[in-house]
Amino acid sequence: MAESVVLDPVDLHLLRLLQNDARTTYRDLAAQVGVAPSTCLDRVTRLRRSGVILGHRLRLDPAKLGRGLQALLSVQVRPHRRELVGPFVERIRALPEARSVFHLTGPDDYLVHVAVADMADLQRLVLDEFTARREVARVETRLIFQQWECGPLLPPGHAQS
């Protein structure tokens, strides 16, 4: 398990702001946090180097890209052995429909978030890419009606503001 990084109130404020808009300039961040732009740059650089900030991603609207139907696939793999885990996950990650893959405890081994064009595309994906695999014992599909983003991720004990 990775070690936690000690964050002070300025770091936490920067993280809140950057999680809301990662394109905010250092000048604007510095003004909102109350530090010099060079201090802001140094702190964000330190947060990147320490692994707190993992990267910057562009969020896209799946529906506007022709993938208006999203689902969660619960997948049970048998046998659930180490030598199958890596190749299975890499195959799923390579699918253009896959958005996230989670390795789980419990009756299901994986939870896969997918975005597809329509119900026929979802059926094709499940039959051709999941249940056609020898190691896949079961797939259960749940459609996503709506999704909400949550507040910024902060260390335990720090209130959202």
Side-chain angles (χ1 to χ4, degrees):
M1 182 186 261
E3 283 190 34
S4 295
V5 175
V6 177
L7 304 170
D8 68 17
V10 172
D11 294 329
L12 293 170
H13 196 176
L14 286 169
L15 291 173
R16 279 188 195 98
L17 294 169
L18 287 170
Q19 285 183 81
N20 288 328
D21 184 0
R23 296 181 343 159
T24 305
T25 66
Y26 289 115
R27 182 185 318 236
D28 289 343
L29 283 171
Q32 291 179 60
V33 175
V35 298
S38 60
T39 301
C40 183
L41 174 61
D42 290 344
R43 284 178 174 262
V44 172
T45 300
R46 182 180 53 81
L47 290 167
R48 281 193 186 106
R49 283 191 183 131
S50 66
V52 173
I53 296 175
L54 297 176
H56 305 279
R57 290 191 171 87
L58 184 66
R59 287 181 38 226
L60 303 174
D61 183 340
K64 292 196 170 134
L65 295 173
R67 295 182 182 277
L69 182 65
Q70 294 186 65
L72 296 173
L73 307 180
S74 299
V75 182
Q76 189 178 70
V77 174
R78 292 294 174 257
H80 190 196
R81 292 195 314 250
R82 184 173 296 281
E83 62 268 16
L84 294 176
V85 169
F88 177 79
V89 169
E90 289 312 308
R91 174 65 191 131
I92 300 311
R93 290 184 67 208
L95 295 173
E97 299 88 353
R99 307 307 313 132
S100 303
V101 181
F102 301 90
H103 192 190
L104 309 172
T105 63
D108 297 314
D109 301 311
Y110 298 94
L111 184 64
V112 183
H113 176 196
V114 299
V116 295
D118 52 29
M119 196 63 75
D121 196 25
L122 178 61
Q123 181 181 24
R124 176 206 52 80
L125 179 70
V126 170
L127 293 175
D128 295 348
E129 300 294 345
F130 286 87
T131 60
R133 295 185 63 88
R134 239 179 311 162
E135 70 271 23
V136 173
R138 184 178 62 79
V139 175
E140 192 172 301
T141 304
R142 291 175 180 83
L143 298 180
I144 298 173
F145 291 136
Q146 196 167 359
Q147 179 179 350
W148 292 269
E149 292 291 325
C150 297
L153 180 64
L154 299 172
H158 295 301
Q160 304 287 343
S161 60

